[in-house]
Amino acid sequence: GVMTWTALPEVFPHGLAALWESTGWPVMGHNRFWSHETPYAKQNGGDYEFEIGANDTMAMPLEQRFWDDLLRNSSEWGLTMYEQDWLYNEFEGVTRATTDVYLARDWLLQMGRGAANNDLTIQYCMPYPRHVLQSVEIPQVTNFRASGDYSQDRSDQWHIGHSSIIAHSLGLGPSKDNYWSKPDQPDSDWGPTAKESRSALQSAVSSYSTGPVAPSDRIKYSDAALIKRACTDSG
């Protein structure tokens, strides 16, 4: 679980603010579930109320102030869209969320108000239908992940038609996970035999989905011409 939502120095040695200032790129920031040991929680010496059950390994923030502060601070390094991943895990991993009628709704409403207060949008990822349906009260939610995680051996990962039905009915963009724009990506975590044979298909589905388009190539190994079919030269 997440302890603090800050950039890893081994990945961003100069911080996310420096990256944003040098590129001008808006940032879509990904977050997982909160650890029961997060130092944000008062139970661990922090400043904010969290729900952490006796046997829980996950935690859920309980204060509007937490989301206001977290997302205000994050907007300072270019955050424009907050992605809350592992939604169903956090829902099931916090015992009281499955027994209290209001807790999970309040959690999502507070998240949404925090985004609104800081002029941000939200993507839901790994949601149950109940999470997506809750977005009718949260206008900052503009899209949700409609596909499984991307990998080259998932030949049907681009099939998002079924989940797009609920997205369309709620006015949300169904987001397909990232893709390789070129068949080969050297030194990939997937190993030397990994190959994407449907780059054009992946790109087309991403573009037509109306959700975020996310090429995930290694630096200097992108098919720029293919990617720019989904956007202008400026991105």
Side-chain angles (χ1 to χ4, degrees):
V2 174
M3 297 289 283
T4 61
W5 203 49
T6 52
L8 295 173
E10 60 268 29
V11 179
F12 300 100
H14 304 295
L16 282 172
L19 177 66
W20 176 52
E21 290 168 1
S22 64
T23 63
W25 295 342
V27 177
M28 177 178 176
H30 171 275
N31 198 8
R32 297 186 178 188
F33 58 85
W34 297 105
S35 167
H36 67 294
E37 297 179 334
T38 175
Y40 294 147
K42 285 187 176 179
Q43 295 93 321
N44 302 316
D47 294 330
Y48 305 99
E49 295 283 355
F50 272 70
E51 173 61 28
I52 306 175
N55 298 312
D56 292 346
T57 58
M58 303 182 191
M60 187 172 286
L62 298 176
E63 292 187 64
Q64 182 63 55
R65 184 171 60 95
F66 170 79
W67 290 107
D68 291 342
D69 291 350
L70 180 77
L71 297 180
R72 182 179 63 253
N73 293 338
S74 300
S75 66
E76 295 175 357
W77 44 257
L79 184 70
T80 60
M81 180 182 293
Y82 174 76
E83 179 186 357
Q84 183 60 67
D85 199 354
W86 296 60
L87 271 167
Y88 83 82
N89 304 81
E90 186 162 5
F91 175 73
E92 292 190 346
V94 176
T95 303
R96 191 178 141 212
T98 62
T99 60
D100 185 307
V101 174
Y102 301 104
L103 179 62
R105 175 175 177 267
D106 289 342
W107 164 50
L108 296 180
L109 288 175
Q110 289 175 3
M111 184 192 304
R113 283 193 293 267
N117 292 341
N118 290 283
D119 197 25
L120 307 175
T121 57
I122 296 174
Q123 180 189 90
Y124 284 168
C125 190
M126 293 175 65
Y128 282 144
R130 69 193 71 176
H131 297 117
V132 178
L133 291 170
Q134 181 59 53
S135 73
V136 299
E137 290 191 286
I138 310 170
Q140 300 309 116
V141 179
T142 60
N143 68 99
F144 72 91
R145 267 279 299 282
S147 74
D149 289 346
Y150 173 71
S151 69
Q152 298 71 44
D153 59 354
R154 291 186 175 180
S155 60
D156 63 347
Q157 185 269 347
W158 55 273
H159 288 184
I160 62 173
H162 288 165
S163 50
S164 295
I165 294 173
I166 188 172
H168 177 73
S169 68
L170 295 170
L172 301 176
S175 173
K176 194 199 84 64
D177 199 20
N178 58 74
Y179 72 97
W180 286 2
S181 69
K182 282 188 174 181
D184 299 298
Q185 298 291 327
D187 301 319
S188 160
D189 289 342
W190 302 108
T193 62
K195 185 179 293 288
E196 175 54 73
S197 59
R198 301 179 178 87
S199 293
L201 174 62
Q202 297 279 359
S203 177
V205 172
S206 295
S207 299
Y208 293 141
S209 74
T210 72
V213 177
S216 55
D217 308 302
R218 190 178 182 86
I219 293 175
K220 298 183 179 181
Y221 288 91
S222 294
D223 183 339
L226 177 61
I227 293 171
K228 286 198 291 186
R229 293 184 184 183
C231 64
T232 63
D233 287 345
S234 65

